[in-house]
Amino acid sequence: MTTKIHAIVDALGNPVALSLTPGQAADISQAVPLLDQVEPEAFLADKGYDSDALVATLAERGITPVIPSKANRKKPRKIDFA
């Protein structure tokens, strides 16, 4: 049995929200619960967080998503890294 530590960190890498799950849990399953604990301006994540539902949640809260599109996405989103 394994365990995953999920974290949201600030711009300096300091943890601001944490959760623990079983190792087989999908990373994206903890995105919204962790985001509920903070008020970020942007959400930087890897392709594993490329989900229409998560991006819609971020948009509703006025959080800029900086998430690369998965290779199988039919219409990749434009990402502004500036």
Side-chain angles (χ1 to χ4, degrees):
M1 183 181 281
T2 61
T3 303
K4 281 187 184 177
I5 301 170
H6 306 269
I8 290 186
V9 300
D10 65 15
L12 298 174
N14 299 312
V16 293
L18 297 169
S19 70
L20 296 172
T21 63
Q24 69 272 19
D27 292 342
I28 196 168
S29 69
Q30 295 303 300
V32 172
L34 287 171
L35 282 165
D36 286 344
Q37 300 177 45
V38 295
E39 291 294 329
E41 292 180 22
F43 182 72
L44 285 69
D46 65 21
K47 291 180 182 184
Y49 293 86
D50 180 21
S51 154
D52 291 335
L54 177 58
V55 171
T57 298
L58 295 171
E60 288 173 10
R61 291 187 51 192
I63 301 169
T64 303
V66 183
I67 307 169
S69 296
K70 291 181 182 174
N72 64 352
R73 180 172 279 281
K74 292 180 181 166
K75 187 175 179 185
R77 286 186 315 281
K78 181 182 182 297
I79 299 175
D80 183 7
F81 290 101

